[in-house]
Amino acid sequence: MPQHKAPKPSGRSTIGHSRARGGSAVVSAASRQARQAATQSAAASASTVSTIPSQPSIVADHQRLLDLLASNFAPELADPTFAARLQEIKSLFFERKFLDIFAGTDPAADARLAVYSARYIPYRALAYLDLIRDVPELQLAVERDGARAVFLGGGAGSELAAFAYQRFYKPSKGTVEMATMDIGRFGTVLARLEGTLRESLNIPDGSLAAPSILCDLLSPAWPATATASDDAGTPIAPYIRNATVVTLFFTLNELFAQSDSKAAGVSFIQRLISSLTPGTLLVVADSAGSFSDLVIGSRTYKITVLLDMLPGLECVASDDARWFRFDHGLRYGAKLENMRYFARVYRRK
């Protein structure tokens, strides 16, 4: 079983904002006290709030990535039914019917997934790009030769767009695999995005492998004995075992919402951690605030607190309330949004 070695930090750190934000995040004494209280009670969470000033270098990268995505999703953005399909998606989100959005089998399912990606990929991809650049261990893991990333629940394509851009926005040697696992049938969306990335970033032949794997993360067989749900029947376990980076971006809340009990979501996390090779980075990001609260019995817990308590993980970097604020000079064919989310970067012990 391979060991993925990376420089070990002196201890847990708050995620910095050196490139996109022009300085280190500031944690007040009150915030530190709140974090201590959260750890002790598993009922509250500290917050590190920062702003993102406009800097020409990062804004230029943001616009280049947005132009790439605008080209990729030009058919959806020009479709006169785009607004109506988007409203349908928003209604399903409000009702927390995530499977109806991502795993529907009705005739409009494929078009709905493409509209979802065209609308929600862009600003999330920019936020993930900033996150990669703000965590040295994560950036090193992405840029190393032979890197293997697995994007759990990343079917819409934000992770692929951000990670591939970081790896190939300037000439890069070596190879990388970026596998996406999702219950949604995003294969067509991801194949088109991969083609656009290859062409726009001049990715050399053989440098990028980007398989899309259809699977149910909540299946008790996942990942040990699970296989892909499509005709290929691809074994899941080798992808997780050989990964250097695994992401859970805006996926945990959906998994807990889908499962009949909170125990199913917790079991998924435990199975994932036990399947990771020591040294692998696990990166988690999701909505900050009450949307990420979990009610277990009569108590409410911050999901960040529960994650930090899990055995087998070393917290490399964290931010309980991280802001992405887009520069208002950026251009895209659909609305861009600011985003507040928590982030954790763990290393498997």
Side-chain angles (χ1 to χ4, degrees), residues 92-326:
L92 292 171
F93 262 124
F94 181 78
E95 298 171 14
R96 298 178 72 83
K97 294 181 177 180
F98 301 119
L99 286 178
D100 288 355
I101 301 172
F102 303 121
T105 57
D106 58 284
D110 287 346
R112 187 163 54 242
L113 291 179
V115 167
Y116 175 87
S117 293
R119 173 62 176 83
Y120 294 106
I121 273 184
Y123 65 90
R124 287 187 177 181
L126 302 187
Y128 301 159
L129 179 62
D130 286 358
L131 179 62
I132 293 168
R133 294 179 173 184
D134 282 345
V135 182
E137 293 86 352
L138 180 55
Q139 183 171 346
L140 179 62
V142 172
E143 296 178 350
R144 61 174 286 187
D145 184 20
R148 292 173 177 263
V150 178
F151 309 134
L152 300 179
S158 299
E159 293 90 329
L160 178 60
F163 279 66
Y165 184 88
Q166 178 60 29
R167 179 59 185 262
F168 295 107
Y169 79 101
K170 54 186 178 181
S172 174
K173 296 181 180 180
T175 62
V176 61
E177 180 180 78
M178 298 181 179
T180 299
M181 296 187 185
D182 204 295
I183 196 172
R185 296 182 178 276
F186 280 99
T188 302
V189 172
L190 289 170
R192 195 206 318 174
L193 177 59
E194 179 189 350
T196 302
L197 288 164
R198 289 182 183 279
E199 180 180 357
S200 299
L201 299 177
N202 297 312
I203 299 176
D205 291 343
S207 295
L208 171 66
S212 172
I213 302 166
L214 186 69
C215 64
D216 181 3
L217 301 181
L218 289 176
S219 167
W222 190 97
T225 60
T227 58
S229 304
D230 54 21
D231 294 337
T234 307
I236 302 299
Y239 284 97
I240 305 299
R241 183 174 61 248
N242 296 325
T244 52
V245 180
V246 175
T247 68
L248 272 170
F249 289 167
F250 286 81
T251 297
L252 273 182
N253 277 326
E254 295 176 9
L255 292 178
F256 278 108
Q258 292 169 24
S259 58
D260 295 332
S261 68
K262 298 299 187 294
V266 173
S267 176
F268 156 74
I269 298 173
Q270 292 173 333
R271 293 196 309 274
L272 170 60
I273 294 172
S274 66
S275 300
L276 296 175
T277 297
T280 299
L281 295 183
L282 173 63
V283 190
V284 184
D286 220 311
S287 299
S290 59
F291 195 76
S292 289
D293 289 351
L294 292 178
V295 178
I296 301 177
S298 60
R299 301 188 63 180
T300 300
Y301 298 91
K302 292 291 183 184
I303 197 169
T304 50
V305 174
L306 296 180
L307 288 171
D308 290 343
M309 293 170 60
L310 291 173
L313 297 177
E314 171 194 0
C315 190
V316 174
S318 67
D319 203 331
D320 287 345
R322 176 182 173 86
W323 272 105
F324 166 75
R325 291 190 173 96
F326 70 92

